[in-house]
Amino acid sequence: MERRPMEKKRFDVAVIGAGPGGYVAAIKLAQNGRSVALIEKNFLGGTCLNVGCIPTKTLLANAQIMHKVKRAGEYGIVTGPVTFDFAKMKQRKDAVVEKLRKSLGTLLQANKITIVQGEAAFTSPHELKVVGKESGWIEFEQAIVATGSQPLDIPAFACDHKKILNSTSILELTALPKKLAIIGGGYIGCEFASLYAEFGVKVTILEALPTILSLQGKSLAEALTSSFTKQGIEIQTGVLVQGIEETSSGVSIRLKDRSPVEADLALVAVGRAIASKGLGLEKAGVQTSDKGAVIVNDKMRTTVPHIYAIGDVTGQFLLAHVASHQGIVAASAILGLRAQMHYNAVPAVIFTEPEIATVGLSTEQAVAAGYSVTVGRFPFAALGKSIATLDTDGFAEILSDQKTGQILGAQVIGHEASTLIAEMALAIQNELTLECLIETIHAHPTLSESWLEAALIANGTPIHFPPKRK
Ligand code: FAD
Ligand code: NAD
């Protein structure tokens, strides 16, 4: 058979990976007149759209409805027995992903971006080889590595995707287990625990550290632990998982110095592996850290000046909105525009019931950074809107610099925390003080008044909260 030579194409910029980092950078570059190849080996939208943010939040939306329906009686609404169809929920999740993936394809085409379907690897500092549906070579002036991350697999309890699942394979379930053991009490472990517990699954979280969500700070970890425990979720902390054996009925999780945990299924959620292997980075001269993260500066430039890296592959924050922002910064640098990455006002949300959201420094981080901090915490139980809607669990908390009043961090646990945090991200990004917040009129009755009240408490001038005893 005659072998056709592989085609070679030339672009101003080659972007490897079409997740929220890569596709956003590609759009910005194309809108500014650059010819762009966006190379994707799997699906447009990356982890976030296909097996991350969007499918999980679609399923969690069902859990939110379930949560409200269970409490209908408290609002004076009489319901009959409530049942659900998990297979239909999975179908809806697939349809949402499909719809967004199609719209993204249309958006990229409208921006005249060339989508190349295949796996890319550097062959030199200015060339990539692509193998897949479309094979060939791509020559570029500049490149952006946006290859993301994958679920971390631990050899001692490797996923078989039948009984031992990861965050991708669990999304394929069409029926619920009776018992689910989750290894890892971070973002993914807690979100899936919340989702499954709401539908009556007996969930056990097995976390190696002394608390779940240890990175979010003590007060949030304690608040979520208490709420999860009330919901019947069992949490074992400080555990060392030694292995998982499959049994006739499910799995048996072997723990060091503790009794094994039996469940129908296990979910392994112990972090992410950075996707930098097999990319031929060494052929381009791009350096990585010990953990495989591509080393970048604040303009997202790697150790090779015409090659940039953004998103999870840089190992910083591993959040979709951070990847997209880094994409804008890298594209701006390529276009010769001023832009720089700052990480002091990164909002992060954990979509559990109740939701958790943070931005800026936690108390522990602020103290470690040498600040004398003032903390203002306002409980939703004291807010008119929360009482009206029966969403009184949780609090909003602001940390400020005692000397200047500048807002350093904010955290909120409770209803709509995901939406509430945006105001504090804007405040911290723009170096606002407690005074600025106090002078801002907040609509009544809204949950956002909790920020005003927290600022007033921090300022020592509370209105809807008892003053400190002198
Ligand atoms: P990715 O989205 O991982 O995209 C990288 C793309 O590169 C992939 O499509 C991959 O196929 C492609 N690729 C890799 N190597 C090659 C190659 N050699 N050639 C061609 N293509 C290649 N973040 C949030 O902010 N909010 C959330 O609610 C949230 N929920 C999450 C839930 C789960 C279950 C998971 C797993 C993650 C979640 N995240 C969330 C994190 C978020 O998904 C990631 O931070 C984000 O997707 C990172 O974007 P990225 O562009 O860096 O990489
Ligand atoms: P994670 O880093 O958030 O949590 C992993 C947890 O597993 C940690 O608490 C860790 O101590 C624990 N752990 C590690 N090894 C263990 C072991 N052998 N036994 C028991 N516990 C162990 O990682 P994740 O939950 O896998 O999520 C990965 C990343 O994806 C997150 O860091 C986050 O950036 C992103 N994500 C974001 C969202 C969101 O924004 N809502 C949702 C999901 C995922």
Side-chain angles (χ1 to χ4, degrees):
M1 200 172 75
E2 190 199 347
R3 292 188 82 190
R4 284 216 340 246
M6 290 218 287
E7 216 183 327
K8 187 179 254 191
K9 289 186 179 152
R10 214 209 133 270
F11 291 88
D12 293 334
V13 188
V15 181
I16 314 166
Y23 84 72
V24 167
I27 291 175
K28 171 98 180 160
L29 288 161
Q31 285 178 348
N32 284 277
R34 299 296 192 273
S35 62
V36 182
L38 180 61
I39 310 153
E40 173 54 58
K41 67 175 179 182
N42 213 337
F43 293 113
L44 293 180
T47 302
C48 174
L49 170 49
N50 297 288
V51 291
C53 328
I54 297 296
T56 52
K57 272 79 238 183
T58 307
L59 292 173
L60 279 158
N62 305 327
Q64 276 173 357
I65 305 262
M66 193 68 184
H67 190 73
K68 280 280 182 213
V69 172
K70 278 186 202 162
R71 297 180 61 198
E74 292 176 55
Y75 297 86
I77 296 168
V78 182
T79 56
V82 179
T83 55
F84 59 86
D85 180 344
F86 194 71
K88 197 168 173 187
M89 291 180 189
K90 195 243 175 210
Q91 252 175 34
R92 189 179 81 82
K93 180 265 293 176
D94 290 343
V96 167
V97 170
E98 181 75 29
K99 183 180 166 129
L100 284 170
R101 208 192 280 150
K102 270 200 188 133
S103 327
L104 178 57
T106 310
L107 179 70
L108 294 170
Q109 273 167 10
N111 279 285
K112 301 194 173 26
I113 292 163
T114 305
I115 299 163
V116 181
Q117 289 192 301
E119 182 162 357
F122 289 93
T123 50
S124 77
H126 281 283
E127 190 188 66
L128 289 162
K129 185 177 177 182
V130 181
V131 178
K133 271 196 192 160
E134 296 170 64
S135 296
W137 280 274
I138 288 178
E139 247 180 23
F140 56 84
E141 289 294 315
Q142 277 140 325
I144 300 181
V145 179
T147 48
S149 66
Q150 295 137 4
L152 183 65
D153 214 12
I154 307 275
F157 40 93
C159 293
D160 64 1
H161 305 295
K162 291 188 181 93
K163 287 185 176 175
I164 309 172
L165 309 173
N166 64 18
S167 64
T168 300
S169 43
I170 198 170
L171 290 171
E172 293 308 309
L173 292 185
T174 50
L176 290 174
K178 284 201 170 62
K179 284 186 79 182
L180 174 70
I182 300 180
I183 298 135
Y187 277 80
I188 293 178
C190 287
E191 286 186 358
F192 276 104
S194 197
L195 170 67
Y196 275 71
E198 201 62 66
F199 291 109
V201 175
K202 176 78 194 112
V203 176
T204 303
I205 298 178
L206 302 167
E207 166 58 50
L209 294 176
T211 67
I212 56 169
L213 292 184
S214 55
L215 286 179
Q216 269 61 34
K218 198 164 162 253
S219 58
L220 290 179
E222 278 171 1
L224 190 67
T225 300
S226 148
S227 178
F228 268 8
T229 309
K230 274 193 224 146
Q231 294 172 47
I233 297 172
E234 185 192 340
I235 301 173
Q236 293 198 33
T237 54
V239 294
L240 187 68
V241 177
Q242 292 187 313
I244 305 179
E245 268 86 53
E246 294 198 12
T247 61
S248 54
S249 59
V251 288
S252 174
I253 297 155
R254 222 169 356 100
L255 307 176
K256 189 172 181 230
D257 302 330
R258 294 200 198 181
S259 309
V261 170
E262 314 289 334
D264 300 318
L265 295 175
L267 167 66
V268 179
V270 294
R272 306 275 300 169
I274 285 165
S276 61
K277 276 196 200 134
L279 261 178
L281 290 171
E282 63 294 342
K283 293 191 180 138
V286 172
Q287 286 173 17
T288 56
S289 72
D290 299 347
K291 291 191 175 151
V294 178
I295 297 168
V296 287
N297 67 9
D298 60 2
K299 295 194 165 21
M300 309 316 297
R301 201 170 254 147
T302 67
T303 46
V304 177
H306 68 278
I307 301 180
Y308 295 74
I310 57 174
D312 284 8
V313 77
T314 65
Q316 297 176 73
F317 284 92
L318 277 67
L319 296 172
H321 41 283
V322 173
S324 298
H325 200 82
Q326 289 174 329
I328 295 291
V329 169
S332 302
I334 289 172
L335 295 166
L337 306 171
R338 265 166 60 105
Q340 212 178 349
M341 253 337 267
H342 299 284
Y343 297 96
N344 60 323
V346 175
V349 179
I350 302 156
F351 293 85
T352 42
E353 173 56 52
E355 286 184 348
I356 286 181
T358 61
V359 60
L361 300 179
S362 66
T363 312
E364 291 89 337
Q365 289 166 335
V367 170
Y371 286 104
S372 297
V373 290
T374 305
V375 179
R377 179 189 284 196
F378 185 74
F380 288 116
L383 192 70
K385 178 66 187 263
S386 305
I387 295 167
T389 61
L390 295 179
D391 293 309
T392 49
D393 281 350
F395 57 83
E397 186 175 90
I398 299 179
L399 312 181
S400 55
D401 181 357
Q402 217 170 60
K403 276 194 207 134
T404 62
Q406 187 178 336
I407 300 165
L408 302 171
Q411 11 191 297
V412 48
I413 177 164
H415 190 58
E416 290 292 347
S418 52
T419 306
L420 283 172
I421 205 66
E423 180 176 348
M424 287 303 109
L426 192 69
I428 295 173
Q429 176 68 27
N430 291 287
E431 300 178 0
L432 302 189
T433 59
L434 288 179
E435 203 186 337
C436 303
L437 210 56
I438 290 167
E439 282 177 2
T440 303
I441 299 174
H442 286 72
H444 177 75
T446 63
L447 296 180
S448 68
E449 288 171 290
S450 57
W451 294 128
L452 172 63
E453 300 290 349
L456 286 166
I457 291 170
N459 198 43
T461 54
I463 296 286
H464 293 98
F465 203 67
K468 254 194 191 161
R469 276 204 214 128
K470 298 233 166 96

